[in-house]
Amino acid sequence: MLRSIATSSTRRFASTNASAEKVWQVYLSGEIHSDWREVIAKGVESKQLPVQCVSPNTSHEDSDDCGAIILGMEEKRTNWDKIGAGMNNIRTKNLIEESDIVVVRFGEKYRQWNAAFDAGYAAALGKSIITLHPPSISHMLKEVNANASVVCEDTEQVVDTLAYVIRGELPKPRDGDGFIPIADRLGAGNPNP
């Protein structure tokens, strides 16, 4: 069972399972205009995975204005952006550093420079990366995907990947009856299966 902990328009999902099983921290980076984070959190909950999902502040307005709200108004917009970015950077860097896995979502509509930066930072730290995006933008993300351990097209694939990585659980094959195990494809007795 997971519970939601509200933190300034951002949700953290923590396992309430009292077992000694490791709780994996998964950082959810990327676009903020859809409910993909909630869909992954619900999938993690339904599979009862020991996962805590964390993310950047997903309120665009709060993320932009945090510096001015806390430190006061600035005459120059450049500094306004810099102080807000600095505050957001504290959260982002710490959460990525503490995470076991970083999921980076790219959508077709918006340019997600922050997500690309998060992916690069996670790669530099040696974090396991899962990218999530539609196939239509794969070419634009080829360098990011080259550093990802897994490239997913939908949130269900992300949840199934987490279930496999954490517990070794596999879903039914996506290809249904069309799935052919590798040993069958390569042939019995193949010296290099």
Side-chain angles (χ1 to χ4, degrees):
M1 187 97 198
L2 300 177
R3 68 173 197 269
S4 173
I5 304 167
T7 57
S8 178
S9 65
T10 301
R11 291 186 183 165
R12 297 183 85 173
F13 297 89
S15 173
T16 56
N17 183 353
S19 74
E21 190 172 29
K22 172 188 166 128
V23 175
W24 295 63
Q25 182 158 302
V26 178
Y27 185 80
L28 303 175
S29 170
E31 65 96 356
I32 60 171
H33 305 286
S34 68
D35 68 346
W36 70 275
R37 286 179 179 85
E38 288 77 16
V39 172
I40 288 175
K42 286 178 184 171
V44 162
E45 181 177 13
S46 73
K47 291 185 180 286
Q48 299 181 333
L49 296 175
V51 168
Q52 177 180 7
C53 295
V54 296
S55 69
N57 185 341
T58 57
S59 166
H60 198 173
E61 295 80 13
D62 291 353
S63 176
D64 284 348
D65 294 334
C66 63
I69 289 170
I70 295 168
L71 301 176
M73 293 288 290
E74 291 288 331
E75 296 292 323
K76 198 172 173 187
R77 179 66 186 182
T78 303
N79 196 41
W80 185 317
D81 283 342
K82 183 179 181 336
I83 59 176
M87 288 184 178
N88 291 318
N89 191 34
I90 293 169
R91 177 186 179 94
T92 299
K93 284 172 83 173
N94 280 281
L95 290 176
I96 289 175
E97 288 169 7
E98 294 169 0
S99 291
D100 299 295
I101 299 171
V102 176
V103 177
V104 187
R105 162 85 170 124
F106 295 92
E108 292 179 294
K109 187 173 181 182
Y110 300 97
R111 294 181 180 142
Q112 291 98 35
W113 307 121
N114 292 5
F117 185 84
D118 289 354
Y121 186 62
L125 293 173
K127 298 294 178 176
S128 297
I129 301 169
I130 299 171
T131 57
L132 169 61
H133 60 78
S136 60
I137 60 174
S138 290
H139 177 71
M140 293 176 271
L141 296 169
K142 66 184 177 292
E143 282 80 10
V144 175
N145 287 339
N147 283 284
S149 297
V150 181
V151 178
C152 296
E153 296 176 6
D154 60 51
T155 54
E156 183 180 6
Q157 289 176 334
V158 173
V159 173
D160 287 343
T161 298
L162 294 173
Y164 175 72
V165 168
I166 294 168
R167 292 215 176 115
E169 298 171 359
L170 284 172
K172 291 184 178 177
R174 258 189 187 234
D175 298 321
D177 292 338
F179 172 76
I180 302 169
I182 192 75
D184 293 345
R185 281 189 278 165
L186 296 176
N190 185 345
N192 299 309

